[in-house]
Amino acid sequence: MTGQEFGMLAAILAVAAVTGLVANRLRQPLIVAFIGVGVLVGPIGTGWASGIGEIELLAHLGITILLFLVGLRLDLHLIRTTGPVALATGLGQVAFTAAIGYGIALALGMDNVTAIYVAVALTFSSTIIIVKLLSDKREIDELHGRIAVGFLIVQDLVVVVVMIALTAFGQETSDHVALDIVFVIGKGIALLAGVALAMRYVIPRLLPLAARSQELLVLFAVAWAVSIAAISAWLGFSTEVGAFLAGMSLASTPFREAIGARLVSLRDFLLLFFFLALGAQLEFADATRQLGEAAVFSAFVLIGNPLIVLIIMGLMRYPVRVSFKAGLTVAQISEFSLILAALGLSLGHITSGTVSLITVVGLITIGASTYMILYSQPLFEKLRPFLGVFQRRDARQHAIPNGTSEADVLIYGLGRLGSQVVDRLTRAGKSVVAVDFDPDIVNAWNRQGITAVFGSAEDIDLLESLPLAQARWVVSTIPSAEVNLALLHALRYHGYQGRIALTALSARDAQRLRQTDADIVVEPYSSATNAVLDHIADHAGEGSTGDLDRA
């Protein structure tokens, strides 16, 4: 790299940093900012990116590390724990979105191959962005958050299968199609067998040696990812497939978390160059037609994808609030959609104009869906009157198991706090009826002999089937002020005269709930913090620091 190229690279990074600061203030994912920077420094802008050949190499490394980390963090157990809803919603949304998107593309005059690429690109949502947004909102452990992450993992698996198919059969074949297929399958089996043998005999010996040094562990992980990716490309598959398999091969090792934590920053930095290169490739030669098509596809993704999830989860008898919030997480296309488009361009299946169209749809949907997820609760409140059609009414939903008709305490929420409350009360001899909107949790508690009901705290009709008149207490351990206020309203609507305890995670929510007629507002985080501080204050003058640590 010459001095001039180094100077241009420095200028590009400076522009990216400033643009990233602006995007952060606007609460937008950095993907949007970096693609915009790519347009700015591309051929239609300053042209800086065109003079640096190393950007493409860094972009390939970024994609390799991304797929490696997806494989490394692949948690099939999460799909199992969220029950069939993750598979049903994940596969159902992919199938319906692809089918409808294909029809829209054909109606807009696209040829079959282009329509297939555009339709498939519309099906995938960004696991990285969704997990970040849900974590920031502290919703990653709520039911809709766990379901969303579950079907996003299903989508990740689907996109890997799609990339394998494209790279395996995307090249020109001879007249012996059957022989070519057998040859491709044989190479795939050889690749999987090689990785499996390495997992059995090589990695267990080398990885502990590399882990003696954190720097060497990172180097080993990157070298392993790039090497398997290169072998995959040599066999005729994509580097992305090899990187994904390399990550999966290390996913069961005890060093998984350490490797993942170390490589996240490297992934984010290198992906900057992928999005820069993608933005630099955008073509706006036919901007009027492209923007019209992008608007149609964006509207479908922003509205159609959540509707598909609402319908599927509604048929599975999930509360409409859970279905709505989970559905918002698919109201966008992901970085995998852009990678898929770039792969199609490299294989000669689609033109750069199609890549530009998919990228513009990505910019629109990622930007809009970010605000939809951040303000999901106010959006739900506004749309609640129109969402009742997606709530399947089923008598089984409100049935109380074991013939229970009385209860001392009604408890809403069977998470960590709710489970402790139920356990403490039952050991004290109190009769309890618990309500939760996770069917797996409800079934697990019923198997233990505890009466649990599938339902939502916001369902005013559910209270008609609960022993409300006999209950002396109604306790909500749900950490949402909006849900607790809705429950309080429902209780007063049914004339409940007993005592009510609600839960708040923040001081602001606690203040809102204390302004109601609730008897107790529990702040578990605040209470735990105060207990720890009181203990430290009581023992601060006793013994040594070691005594305090042991206390």
Side-chain angles (χ1 to χ4, degrees), residues 106-352:
L106 289 180
L108 292 174
M110 298 181 181
D111 61 79
N112 281 321
V113 175
T114 302
I116 290 173
Y117 267 92
V118 172
V120 173
L122 300 180
T123 62
F124 305 120
S125 303
S126 176
T127 304
I128 297 173
I129 294 175
I130 298 306
V131 169
K132 178 67 166 61
L133 291 173
L134 292 178
S135 297
D136 290 346
K137 293 187 67 181
R138 295 181 178 177
E139 294 180 357
I140 198 72
D141 289 326
E142 293 189 20
L143 181 59
H144 72 272
R146 289 188 284 118
I147 291 174
V149 174
F151 62 62
L152 286 172
I153 290 175
V154 173
Q155 288 186 0
D156 290 345
L157 293 175
V158 172
V159 76
V160 171
V161 172
V162 170
M163 286 192 294
I164 291 174
L166 286 175
T167 55
F169 302 105
Q171 308 294 337
E172 294 185 2
T173 59
S174 65
D175 295 333
H176 306 287
V177 178
L179 185 61
D180 290 336
I181 292 176
V182 172
F183 188 54
V184 167
I185 293 174
K187 290 193 295 183
I189 293 174
L191 178 61
L192 292 174
V195 172
L197 289 173
M199 290 174 62
R200 178 68 177 85
Y201 298 106
V202 179
I203 293 175
R205 290 173 172 80
L206 290 183
L207 200 54
L209 297 176
R212 295 177 180 177
S213 167
Q214 291 296 314
E215 293 81 3
L216 186 57
L217 180 63
V218 172
L219 177 60
F220 177 86
V222 173
W224 179 251
V226 174
S227 299
I228 302 299
I231 293 173
S232 174
W234 178 69
L235 290 173
F237 301 102
S238 69
T239 55
E240 290 85 357
V241 171
F244 178 79
L245 292 176
M248 285 188 62
S249 68
L250 301 184
S252 60
T253 68
F255 308 103
R256 161 185 165 176
E257 296 300 331
I259 293 172
R262 287 277 181 151
L263 289 184
V264 165
S265 297
L266 179 61
R267 175 204 66 191
D268 294 340
F269 176 70
L270 291 176
L271 278 179
L272 159 67
F273 296 99
F274 170 73
F275 295 118
L276 285 175
L278 191 66
Q281 293 175 3
L282 291 183
E283 292 183 355
F284 299 99
D286 194 2
T288 303
R289 181 181 64 83
Q290 260 195 357
L291 288 177
E293 292 175 346
V296 173
F297 287 121
S298 297
F300 169 59
V301 172
L302 290 168
I303 300 172
N305 278 359
L307 285 177
I308 291 171
V309 173
L310 271 168
I311 293 171
I312 295 173
M313 293 184 64
L315 291 174
M316 299 182 75
R317 298 192 298 117
Y318 278 86
V320 69
R321 184 180 70 89
V322 177
S323 305
F324 178 80
K325 290 190 173 183
L328 290 183
T329 64
V330 296
Q332 61 178 264
I333 68 174
S334 77
E335 64 278 1
F336 285 118
S337 303
L338 307 181
I339 293 171
L340 191 68
L343 179 61
L345 179 63
S346 68
L347 293 172
H349 293 170
I350 57 177
T351 65
S352 56

Side-chain angles (χ1 to χ4, degrees), residues 419-434:
S419 299
Q420 294 178 21
V421 173
V422 170
D423 183 64
R424 186 78 174 265
L425 289 174
T426 53
R427 283 193 286 110
K430 304 296 182 183
S431 60
V432 173
V433 170

